[in-house]
């Protein structure tokens, strides 16, 4: 009998959301993706969809070599009604950052957390949203709806736009800001490029710990070696989700009274031996990092009216990283501490395919297909001491973790832009007759996006051991796997996240008596379905015939020989001919709560409109709003439910009602701009106000408790959690000079009612538990200062040098309120918020244009990492001073050599609680070289 999941994840997830919403009158759906701004499309003659005039974005790094492209972005920024910042492809290349997450830390007011999550103006990842080419996309993150931006390589990016002042064309689920990723598009002419690079990290030793994997590991995917065996799935179905010895014996004896406990143990061990236990550690040489990239594209003119184009690219990158981290308890750091040694092989594969067609200068349709794979193969050894076994006792713990995590994303998009221009009127006389009253720049845009992200962790193996150490040196004298039914933990995780997003927008321009007015509006629909399945099994020894069974390599400890070794019953008082017993009392069972797996869905329908009025080329007002009908549903899913008493999905009405939410609300926005020439050739002042929301994540509205697969913390949902209401105020002043210099000052203020935060709750001594609650209120305010100045006023080589930088100074306060459980500080900063963030770059461009170099500095201030409870102090991540260097040599017009060095100062990552270092890691210095050839 083969166990089959009776659910088809996507239809079920949507059905759960819609059916519950319909029957109960409540549901809530994930905020729809950012539709391409109606005022942010290309000119009608373009075949691409890269941001144009209304994208009005701020180039973070401008260099002499790239001054023309950077000036274009500055010009676009001047036409924007709402404050935004941007990084273009040229600047990203010069910065040397390989992922979108790393590049975004250069933007004013942005910080990077865990190398993947972006905090905008001190607000955590839940307060930001990300879109790809204007559409919402799924997330491969196991526990969050937010997208970890390290999955996107910068090689596929045309531009990054960070909008900090909300506009009605953007989904209302907006707190700190919105990150818009735009992929590379159709080139104007034939292009062909190839890139190869090598690198390494100073923290890497010559050899690291690893284990035997599968034959396809080099491609970032498992070949089935680690997969959950069909034998186990059959056994789970046969024994109704309970493969314990006692349950097997009960079922066997009910069918055959002659069945013995030994028979049940034999069946149990047969399941155990079907696990992949090839988990012995080995030493593996660390190869250099290397990457390969290639791209080809072209545009074809078919006749006077039709153009076609394509762009195709791919990349492969692999590297090894070794991390050694120190952790300690702030109260007794010398007695309760640990050292974690982790080696990771990372594989990144990306491919993009774009097609485009244009008919006359008025109509264009383009498609984008993007495929990403990001895989981490981790081997970890963690030696530690806790309150039960302090270091002075000489006996400690050692935990092993082997984890192969594969994340994939596939995005398919199509979009179109249509103008009622002169060519259209000439070729379609009937349209001219019907719509001739419309101005020629009247525009209609539409888009459709279908995307899927999945994450698989086959056979995450965690083995618990104990050690005896030398009290003086700390060296391990002996080690053995711990006795216990769950000393071996084998976990299989599958996540599937699917998003469908589509919409349209229109823009009607009017011009009269020195006034220019744009009426714009549109409709968005987004639906998201997620299934998360976690299967967890334990394997351990309750007793062994010889302690040597528990010693030696892990694959030998859990070998068939040790699991299946049996002897004849040695009890002479009760001789039973032929009676056998197992030498070692090993047990296999299913572990974990039935609430770890879940099904969730969201759906949003939105209508928006905006008036953008410029008069006398001096004043501009943009006002509008967005109405959203939001529905969300989440239910716990027990894949091992086989009876009405233990169903896969509950039918309890109250439980179902607790898992749904709906919201139907209007969100306003207004922006006022003054344009003049105060102290500069171009001067602008922008004032913006908006009201937005931040909604709970996918399963946070249920009352289920589950183990966070990333942190290991016990997490409890909350049926009473409600969306946060956010009020946003921005005041930006800008000066642009004809020599390319510029200076900007932005003041901002945000007030949040019912901010959604995690607070620690009571748990056992060895367990950290957190609950999602609404705090009372929060506010954050600050100022961003940015500018660029050429150094030509100095003699000599300074003529081709410049300094660009930005500094953010801010303060935040969270009032915990009555829902928080005994926080040490009822009023504290927001988690992840820094008092200051600074970026400075010194750039050089050789007069002959053959060399460019950049020295780039980034630092963030002390930021809250963990909030204390019951008097325990808060933990703060300490400032990290990052100094990077990039150098380009262009020996010919088609060849480029690049050298990149990161963390030149050799800084370490530290977290302190009341002056005690509770976490420390040395990330090392990374150096890489690359060669590229391009036509």
């Amino acid at each position: 009998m083969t166990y089959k999941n009776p659910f088809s994840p996507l239809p079920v997830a949507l059905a759960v959301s819609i059916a519950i919403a319909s029957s109960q009158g409540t549901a809530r759906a994930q905020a729809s993706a950012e539709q391409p701004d109606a005022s942010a499309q290309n000119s009608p003659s373009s075949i691409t969809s890269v941001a144009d005039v209304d994208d009005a974005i701020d180039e973070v790094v401008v260099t002499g070599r790239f001054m023309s492209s950077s000036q274009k972005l500055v010009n676009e920024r001047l036409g924007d009604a709402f404050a935004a910042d941007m990084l273009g492809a040229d600047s990203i290349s010069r910065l040397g950052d390989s992922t979108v997450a790393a590049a975004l830390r250069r933007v004013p007011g942005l910080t990077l957390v865990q190398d993947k999550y972006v905090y905008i103006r001190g607000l955590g990842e839940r307060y930001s949203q990300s879109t790809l080419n204007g559409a919402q996309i799924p997330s491969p993150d196991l526990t969050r709806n937010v997208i970890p931006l390290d999955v996107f390589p910068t090689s596929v990016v045309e531009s990054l736009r960070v909008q900090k002042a909300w506009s009605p064309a953007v989904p209302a689920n907006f707190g700190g800001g919105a990150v818009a990723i735009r992929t590379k598009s159709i080139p104007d002419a034939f292009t062909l490029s190839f890139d190869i690079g090598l690198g390494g990290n100073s923290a890497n030793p010559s050899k690291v710990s690893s284990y035997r994997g599968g034959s396809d590991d080099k491609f970032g995917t498992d070949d089935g070696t680690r997969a959950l065996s069909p034998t186990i799935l059959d056994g789970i179905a046969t024994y109704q989700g309970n493969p314990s010895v006692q349950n097997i014996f009960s079922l066997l004896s009910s069918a055959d009274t002659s069945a013995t406990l030994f028979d049940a143990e034999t069946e149990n061990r047969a399941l155990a031996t079907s696990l992949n236990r090839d988990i012995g550690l080995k030493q593996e040489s660390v190869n250099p990092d290397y990457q390969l990239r290639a791209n080809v594209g072209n545009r074809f003119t078919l006749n006077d009216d039709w153009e076609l184009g394509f762009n195709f690219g791919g990349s492969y990158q692999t590297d090894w990283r070794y991390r050694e981290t120190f952790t300690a308890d702030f109260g007794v750091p010398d007695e309760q501490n640990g050292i974690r040694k982790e080696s990771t092989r990372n594989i990144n594969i990306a491919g993009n395919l774009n097609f485009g067609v244009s008919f006359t200068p008025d109509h264009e349709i383009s498609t984008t297909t993007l495929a990403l794979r990001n895989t981490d193969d981790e081997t970890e050894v963690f030696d530690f001491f806790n309150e039960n076994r302090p270091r002075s006792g000489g006996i400690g713990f050692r935990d092993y973790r082997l984890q192969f995590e594969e994340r994939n994303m596939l995005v398919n998009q199509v979009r179109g832009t249509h103008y009622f221009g002169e060519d259209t009127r000439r070729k379609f006389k009937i349209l001219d007759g019907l719509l001739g009253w419309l101005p020629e720049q009247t525009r209609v845009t539409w888009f459709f996006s279908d995307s899927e992200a999945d994450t698989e962790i086959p056979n995450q193996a965690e083995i618990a051991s104990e050690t005896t150490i030398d009290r003086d040196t700390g060296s391990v004298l002996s080690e053995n796997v711990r006795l216990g039914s769950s000393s071996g933990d084998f976990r299989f995780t599958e996540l599937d996240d699917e998003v469908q997003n589509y919409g349209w927008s229109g823009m009607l321009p009017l011009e009269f008596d020195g006034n220019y007015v744009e009426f714009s509006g549109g409709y968005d629909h987004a639906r998201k379905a997620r299934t998360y399945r976690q299967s967890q099994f334990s394997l351990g020894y309750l007793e062994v015939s010889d302690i040597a069974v528990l010693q030696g390599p892990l694959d030998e400890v859990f070998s068939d020989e040790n699991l299946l070794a049996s002897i004849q019953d040695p009890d002479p008082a009760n001789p039973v001919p032929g009676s056998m017993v197992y030498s070692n009392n090993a047990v296999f069972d299913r572990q974990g709560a039935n609430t770890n797996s879940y099904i969730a869905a969201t759906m949003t329908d939105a209508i928006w409109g905006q008036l953008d009025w410029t008069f006398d080329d001096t004043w501009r007002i943009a006002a509008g709003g967005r109405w959203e009908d939001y529905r969300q549903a989440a239910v716990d899913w027990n894949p091992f439910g086989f009876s009405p008493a233990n169903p896969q999905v509950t039918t309890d009405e109250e439980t179902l009602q607790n898992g749904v939410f709906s919201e139907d609300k209007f969100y306003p926005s207004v922006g006022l701009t003054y344009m003049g020439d105060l102290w500069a050739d171009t001067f602008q002042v922008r004032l913006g106000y908006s009201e937005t929301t931040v909604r709970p994540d996918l399963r946070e509205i249920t009352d289920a408790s589950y183990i966070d697969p990333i942190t290991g913390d016990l997490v409890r949902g909350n049926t009473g959690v409600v969306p946060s209401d956010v009020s946003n105020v921005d005041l930006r002043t800008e000066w642009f000079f004809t020599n390319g210099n510029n200076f900007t000052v932005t003041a901002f203020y945000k007030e949040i009612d019912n901010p959604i935060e995690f607070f620690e709750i009571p748990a056992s001594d060895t367990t950290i538990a957190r609950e999602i609650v609404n705090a009372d209120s929060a506010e954050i305010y600050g100022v961003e200062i940015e500018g660029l100045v050429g150094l030509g006023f100095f003699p000599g080589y300074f003529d081709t040098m410049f300094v660009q930088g930005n500094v953010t100074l801010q303060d935040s306060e969270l009032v915990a309120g009555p829902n928080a459980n005994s926080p040490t500080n009822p009023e504290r900063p927001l988690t992840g918020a820094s008092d200051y963030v600074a970026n400075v770059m010194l750039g050089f461009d050789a007069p002959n244009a053959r060399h460019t170099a950049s020295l780039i500095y980034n630092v963030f201030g002390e930021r809250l990492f963990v909030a204390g409870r019951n008097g325990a102090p808060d933990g703060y991540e300490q400032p990290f001073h990052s100094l990077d260097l990039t150098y380009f040599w262009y020996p010919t017009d088609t060849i480029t050599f690049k050298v990149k060095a990161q963390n030149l100062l050799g800084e370490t990552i530290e977290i302190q609680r009341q002056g005690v270092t509770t976490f420390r890691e040395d990330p090392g210095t990374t150096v890489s070289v690359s060669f590229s050839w391009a036509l």
Side-chain angles (χ1 to χ4, degrees):
M1 177 179 179
T2 301
Y3 169 75
K4 294 183 179 179
N5 174 13
F7 291 99
S8 176
L10 176 57
V12 168
L14 286 174
V16 168
S17 176
I18 299 169
I20 294 176
S22 299
S23 63
Q24 305 299 334
T26 62
R28 55 181 149 155
Q30 172 59 33
S32 77
E34 176 192 337
Q35 172 186 322
D37 193 327
S39 61
Q41 303 297 322
N42 287 344
S43 64
S45 62
S46 171
I47 199 172
T48 68
S49 61
V50 179
D52 79 293
V53 175
D54 256 355
D55 270 348
I57 26 192
D58 175 21
E59 181 70 80
V60 173
V61 179
V62 181
T63 70
R65 183 178 178 89
F66 305 128
M67 186 63 73
S68 58
S69 62
S70 299
Q71 189 60 48
K72 178 183 177 181
L73 296 178
V74 169
N75 292 337
E76 291 172 352
R77 170 177 175 170
L78 293 175
D80 200 347
F82 299 94
D85 299 307
M86 183 174 178
L87 281 173
D90 292 334
S91 296
I92 294 172
S93 175
R94 180 155 191 165
L95 288 166
D97 295 314
S98 59
T99 69
V100 166
L104 285 172
R105 66 191 170 111
R106 316 293 185 180
V107 176
L110 271 66
T111 56
L112 185 62
V113 177
Q114 299 178 17
D115 291 330
K116 63 179 69 177
Y117 302 113
V118 172
Y119 282 39
I120 302 176
R121 290 178 169 173
L123 293 171
E125 69 271 11
R126 75 162 63 245
Y127 292 91
S128 65
Q129 57 172 276
S130 300
T131 59
L132 185 72
N133 296 323
Q136 181 182 345
I137 52 177
S139 170
D141 191 284
L142 293 176
T143 59
R144 299 172 178 86
N145 192 37
V146 68
I147 301 166
L149 294 176
D150 63 328
V151 302
F152 293 98
T154 52
S155 59
V156 304
V157 172
E158 181 73 25
S159 66
L160 300 173
R161 183 177 191 264
V162 181
Q163 183 169 331
K164 299 175 182 176
W166 184 74
S167 60
V170 177
N173 195 57
F174 179 102
V179 176
I181 304 169
R182 294 185 180 274
T183 57
K184 292 186 175 178
S185 53
I186 311 301
D188 293 329
F190 177 73
T191 62
L192 177 64
S193 64
F194 176 79
D195 186 287
I196 184 171
L198 295 172
N201 183 274
S202 64
N204 287 351
S206 59
K207 291 182 179 292
V208 295
S209 295
S210 185
Y211 64 99
R212 289 179 291 275
S215 59
D216 292 337
D217 286 4
K218 58 182 173 293
F219 301 116
T221 189
D222 182 55
D223 63 359
T225 298
R226 305 173 179 85
L228 185 58
S229 167
T231 301
I232 294 178
L233 291 176
D234 288 345
I236 292 295
T238 300
Y239 302 117
Q240 299 292 287
N242 184 357
S244 67
V245 172
Q246 290 300 324
N247 187 63
I248 293 175
F249 178 63
S250 176
L251 293 176
L252 290 179
S253 58
S254 64
D256 181 0
T257 57
S258 65
T260 66
L261 188 62
F262 183 80
D263 295 332
E265 291 176 336
T266 300
E267 290 291 322
N268 182 266
R269 281 168 168 75
L271 297 177
T273 55
S274 298
L275 283 171
N276 173 38
R277 291 152 293 121
D278 193 5
I279 55 176
L281 266 59
K282 64 174 184 175
Q283 292 296 298
E284 186 163 345
S285 297
V286 175
N287 295 321
D289 308 343
Y290 67 87
Q291 65 177 20
L292 299 171
R293 286 201 297 259
N295 192 88
V296 61
N298 202 359
R299 181 192 297 261
F300 307 94
T301 300
L302 303 182
N303 54 41
D304 291 341
D305 294 329
W306 290 93
E307 284 188 353
L308 295 175
F310 77 94
N311 187 60
F312 173 68
S315 65
Y316 177 89
Q317 179 178 345
T318 181
D319 58 61
W320 279 97
R321 286 297 177 266
Y322 175 79
R323 299 177 59 212
E324 183 170 320
T325 59
F326 167 82
T327 57
D329 181 89
F330 72 91
V332 281
D334 295 332
E335 288 288 344
Q336 299 177 28
N337 54 52
I339 295 179
R340 192 184 307 269
K341 299 179 180 179
E342 176 186 289
S343 53
T344 303
R345 186 188 185 190
N346 179 267
I347 304 291
N348 283 293
I349 302 175
N352 62 282
L353 178 62
N354 303 70
F355 290 105
V357 58
S358 67
F359 174 68
T360 76
D362 293 342
H363 305 278
E364 63 178 48
I365 296 176
S366 60
T367 69
T368 297
T369 295
L370 179 66
L372 303 173
R373 172 175 293 165
N374 177 266
T375 300
D376 291 328
D377 191 4
E378 302 175 357
T379 304
E380 177 185 286
V381 180
F382 182 30
D383 290 301
F384 65 98
F385 307 89
N386 60 22
E387 63 272 19
N388 298 319
R389 290 185 177 176
R391 184 182 181 90
S392 60
I395 299 177
F397 299 97
R398 170 174 286 181
D399 286 353
Y400 295 90
R401 180 177 61 86
L402 313 179
Q403 178 174 317
F404 185 91
E405 181 172 355
E406 177 186 346
R407 297 176 291 272
N408 293 288
M409 183 181 294
L410 178 63
V411 181
N412 289 294
Q413 300 177 331
V414 58
R415 53 197 173 274
T417 302
H418 309 277
Y419 288 83
F420 294 98
E422 179 182 350
D423 291 281
T424 299
R425 298 164 190 263
R426 186 178 64 252
K427 291 183 175 293
F428 302 97
K429 300 297 185 182
I430 187 171
L431 288 179
D432 189 32
L434 293 173
L435 304 173
W437 58 275
L438 291 174
E440 290 189 3
Q441 292 303 307
T442 300
R443 180 177 65 235
V444 173
T445 64
W446 55 269
F447 74 100
F448 178 86
S449 176
D450 188 79
S451 51
E452 178 179 7
D454 64 79
T455 298
E456 292 191 19
I457 307 178
N459 198 22
Q460 175 183 330
E462 298 184 6
I463 310 299
S465 298
E466 56 188 10
T467 59
T468 302
I469 68 164
D470 185 307
R471 290 182 175 87
D472 297 326
T473 64
S475 59
V476 175
L477 302 177
S478 64
E479 174 196 358
N480 58 266
V481 172
R482 280 180 248 171
L483 284 174
S485 61
S486 58
S487 56
D489 185 278
F490 299 82
R491 189 177 306 175
F492 302 82
T493 303
E494 301 172 54
L495 168 73
D496 185 80
D497 201 21
E498 301 188 20
V499 172
Q500 191 176 97
N501 185 203
Y502 57 84
W504 61 267
S505 66
M507 188 275 289
L508 174 67
L510 299 176
E511 189 170 3
F512 55 92
D513 299 331
N515 294 267
Y516 179 78
V517 182
E518 287 185 357
F519 296 94
S520 58
Y523 166 79
D524 290 341
H525 174 84
R527 54 183 175 181
K528 179 187 183 77
R530 169 175 283 206
T531 58
Y532 176 87
R533 173 173 177 162
Q534 180 177 303
S535 307
Q536 188 174 352
F537 304 93
S538 62
L539 176 61
Y541 295 98
L542 298 180
E543 58 182 346
V544 294
S545 59
D546 189 329
I547 191 64
V549 171
L550 302 175
Q551 298 172 339
L554 298 179
D555 52 344
E556 294 182 10
V557 172
F558 294 101
S559 65
D560 287 0
E561 180 182 356
N562 285 336
L563 292 175
L564 302 178
S566 60
I567 58 174
Q568 191 165 1
D569 192 339
D571 187 355
N574 299 289
V576 179
S579 174
M580 301 291 291
V581 295
Y582 283 103
S583 304
N584 304 306
N585 189 1
V587 289
F588 169 81
D589 206 350
R590 187 173 67 84
Q591 294 293 315
N594 291 334
T595 57
N596 281 330
S597 302
Y598 68 95
I599 301 171
T602 64
M603 186 175 292
T604 304
D605 289 287
I607 298 174
W608 64 273
Q610 179 177 298
L611 166 69
D612 190 347
W613 183 7
T614 301
F615 50 96
D616 198 28
D617 288 330
T618 302
W619 293 96
R620 179 181 186 182
I621 185 170
R626 184 182 184 93
W627 170 83
E628 288 192 351
D629 181 14
Y630 174 79
R631 290 144 284 164
Q632 176 178 340
V635 293
D636 297 327
W637 173 33
N638 176 15
F640 303 106
F642 290 90
S643 68
N646 185 26
Q648 294 207 355
V649 175
T650 183
T651 57
D652 180 74
E653 183 176 337
E654 182 178 357
T655 302
L656 291 175
Q657 286 180 335
N658 288 338
V660 299
F661 177 83
S662 69
E663 186 178 59
D664 178 354
K665 196 170 181 180
F666 177 79
Y667 303 92
S669 171
V670 61
L672 178 66
T673 303
Y674 170 77
M675 297 166 283
D677 57 1
L678 177 66
W679 302 337
D681 303 283
T682 302
F683 170 75
Q684 287 195 154
V685 179
R686 309 162 189 258
L687 175 64
Y689 173 81
S690 62
E691 297 176 4
T692 56
T693 188
V694 175
R695 302 179 178 118
D697 220 327
L698 286 169
R699 67 179 310 188
E700 291 174 349
I701 61 171
T702 70
D703 58 1
S705 296
Y706 58 95
I707 300 297
D708 189 310
I710 298 174
T711 65
D713 295 347
L714 177 66
V715 178
R716 180 186 299 168
N718 185 348
T719 59
V721 69
V722 298
S724 305
D725 294 322
V726 186
S727 298
N728 311 277
V729 180
D730 287 83
L731 177 62
R732 171 172 285 193
T733 306
E734 305 164 297
W735 291 267
F736 293 92
F737 304 89
T738 55
N739 60 4
N741 295 342
N742 60 73
F743 184 69
T744 301
V745 179
T746 304
F748 62 88
Y749 175 81
K750 293 179 181 290
E751 185 177 67
I752 307 174
D753 290 330
N754 299 312
I756 302 171
E757 289 281 318
F758 279 108
F759 284 90
E760 191 175 341
I761 57 177
S764 65
D765 291 341
T766 57
T767 300
I768 298 176
R770 298 179 297 147
E771 183 181 25
I772 192 75
V773 302
N774 286 112
D776 184 75
S777 63
E779 65 176 3
I780 185 165
Y781 53 90
V783 60
E784 297 169 348
I785 304 170
E786 54 185 304
L788 178 144
V789 58
L791 301 181
F793 51 84
F794 291 114
Y797 280 100
F798 286 100
D799 192 45
T800 56
M801 298 179 68
F802 65 91
V803 173
Q804 186 275 337
N806 57 74
V807 176
T808 301
L809 306 174
Q810 62 188 21
D811 194 12
S812 67
E813 181 181 73
L814 174 78
V815 179
N819 294 329
N821 192 296
S822 303
T824 299
N825 295 305
E827 297 182 6
R828 59 165 174 81
L830 287 163
T831 302
S834 301
D835 290 339
Y836 62 89
V837 181
N839 289 281
V840 179
M841 183 174 80
L842 174 64
F844 167 76
D845 296 276
N848 62 4
R850 295 299 186 189
H851 306 272
T852 66
S854 303
L855 192 63
I856 309 153
Y857 173 76
N858 168 270
V859 65
F860 58 82
E862 186 178 73
R863 60 190 184 192
L864 181 66
F865 181 81
V866 59
R869 176 180 175 273
N870 275 342
D874 296 338
Y876 285 86
E877 184 175 356
Q878 300 303 296
F880 187 93
H881 300 267
S882 171
L883 184 64
D884 303 337
L885 173 69
T886 60
Y887 166 74
F888 292 80
W889 175 37
Y890 310 93
T892 71
D893 291 338
T894 59
I895 294 176
T896 303
F897 289 96
K898 177 181 176 181
V899 178
K900 177 177 67 176
Q902 295 177 303
N903 193 23
L904 289 171
L905 299 178
E907 285 281 279
T908 60
I909 302 169
E910 284 195 10
I911 297 172
Q912 294 184 2
R913 304 184 75 164
Q914 228 171 35
V916 176
T917 299
T918 58
F919 178 91
R920 181 174 60 249
E921 176 191 349
D922 177 8
T925 299
T926 300
V927 178
S928 63
V929 296
S930 65
F931 164 84
S932 62
W933 173 85
L935 287 178

